[in-house]
Amino acid sequence: MTATHPFLLIKLDETDSTNRYLTYLCDRERITEYTTVCADYQTAGKGQRGNSWESERGRNLMFSIVLYPAFLSPQRQFLLSQLTALAVKEELEQWTEGICIKWPNDIYWHEKKICGLLIENELSPESITRSIAGIGVNINQETFRSDAPNPVSLKQITGQEHDRSQILQGIVQRIRTYYEGLRQPEAGRRAVAADIATRYGQALFRRTGWYPYEDAKGCFEACLLRVEEDGRFVLQDRAGRERAYLFKEVAYIL
């Protein structure tokens, strides 16, 4: 723990995956809530849909944080995804405009991806017993060599080097503020959850207008109607039909 990071911060030069490392620690013993594992380099960083995460050594933020949200039912898993995405989005907005959330939880600057999130939850029948959020933010990398279609870094946007520790501290503090608000009794928790959902909806990528999407039946144009409490993504196509999707059932065409 430090004055700037008031929770246990484990710094690694290299690991295969911060999520995997933190999961291993948690499986061995009860690790303090908010414990954060941060690495300068990942050899097998994990992303959504099984993708890898490209990151130049020592240039970006790659970290994982553990929470124990036993006060939330399994049906509220998406709330953790929303608050984590909002924390990253709102921190990056301190440095540039145009930051948004691409459903369910990628962070974009206009049409380019600046951050990916992978949230892994452990459930009981009654609650979410553990949640590990892995977060990769492109901070100071200047060149991307993978075949990822649209990466961008904060330095590419602003033309300036940024303090990774400062941004890490800001993100964790924002996660903590949202999360602690959810610890209230039920009425207060509902109010905080509603506020998170509203902020999330207002932050969404391509929130207004008609855009191309693709599902199992092919390509179509639609506008975004809403995101449901369980994370379901609800579109309206050109024929006026509502189409609701869970994660991986529909893709943006970029």
Side-chain angles (χ1 to χ4, degrees):
M1 298 185 188
T2 67
T4 56
H5 194 92
F7 312 106
L8 181 60
L9 175 61
I10 301 169
K11 292 184 176 181
L12 306 173
D13 289 333
E14 181 177 309
T15 188
D16 56 353
S17 155
T18 57
N19 261 35
R20 195 172 296 151
Y21 188 96
L22 186 51
T23 298
Y24 172 74
L25 292 181
C26 292
D27 286 346
R28 292 180 63 195
E29 59 183 293
R30 178 74 175 192
I31 299 298
T32 306
E33 197 163 48
Y34 298 113
T35 292
T36 301
V37 173
C38 186
D40 272 346
Y41 187 69
Q42 288 187 135
T43 58
K46 297 188 292 182
Q48 299 284 11
R49 302 176 186 267
N51 296 331
S52 62
W53 181 260
E54 177 194 1
S55 184
E56 195 174 293
R57 184 182 296 272
R59 303 296 288 164
N60 302 315
L61 261 182
M62 293 163 290
F63 67 99
S64 297
I65 181 171
V66 63
L67 303 173
Y68 300 107
F71 52 85
L72 295 177
S73 69
Q75 292 73 30
R76 301 312 309 272
Q77 290 181 69
F78 188 61
L79 189 54
L80 298 172
S81 182
Q82 288 176 308
L83 73 85
T84 305
L86 279 171
V88 177
K89 183 251 185 191
E90 290 170 357
E91 180 61 26
L92 292 178
E93 282 182 324
Q94 304 304 301
W95 312 101
T96 184
E97 298 179 349
I99 302 292
C100 56
I101 300 169
K102 177 175 164 286
W103 177 85
N105 54 21
D106 283 339
I107 309 300
Y108 267 48
W109 175 73
H110 297 293
E111 296 278 328
K112 295 189 174 185
K113 183 175 178 177
I114 192 170
C115 170
L117 279 69
L118 177 64
I119 299 178
E120 298 178 308
N121 296 323
E122 191 173 274
L123 309 176
S124 74
E126 299 82 22
S127 67
I128 306 170
T129 56
R130 185 175 77 196
S131 180
I132 293 180
I135 302 170
V137 191
N138 297 328
I139 303 294
N140 291 319
Q141 188 160 335
E142 297 182 73
T143 304
F144 294 89
R145 297 176 176 84
S146 76
D147 58 0
N150 58 347
V152 71
S153 72
L154 196 56
K155 183 173 182 179
Q156 287 177 325
I157 296 167
T158 66
Q160 300 174 343
E161 288 269 331
H162 294 271
D163 185 332
R164 293 180 298 151
S165 295
Q166 180 183 0
I167 294 172
L168 171 63
Q169 176 194 349
I171 292 171
V172 172
Q173 186 56 54
R174 291 173 190 277
I175 289 173
R176 181 177 181 269
T177 298
Y178 280 124
Y179 182 74
E180 291 298 328
L182 294 172
R183 288 192 193 273
Q184 300 179 60
E186 187 59 31
R189 183 181 304 160
R190 283 199 302 269
V192 172
D195 179 59
I196 289 171
T198 298
R199 289 171 182 259
Y200 177 89
Q202 292 170 344
L204 283 170
F205 175 66
R206 296 182 175 177
R207 185 168 62 91
T208 59
W210 296 88
Y211 293 96
Y213 295 88
E214 185 175 9
D215 64 11
K217 295 181 180 179
C219 299
F220 62 98
E221 272 200 339
C223 64
L224 175 60
L225 289 182
R226 63 187 178 276
V227 176
E228 302 280 12
E229 188 176 284
D230 64 356
R232 206 173 300 261
F233 192 60
V234 184
L235 302 171
Q236 180 178 299
D237 64 22
R238 289 285 191 179
R241 294 173 301 210
E242 285 196 14
R243 300 181 180 215
Y245 299 95
L246 292 174
F247 180 51
K248 298 186 179 181
E249 293 180 346
V250 67
Y252 293 86
I253 297 177
L254 301 172

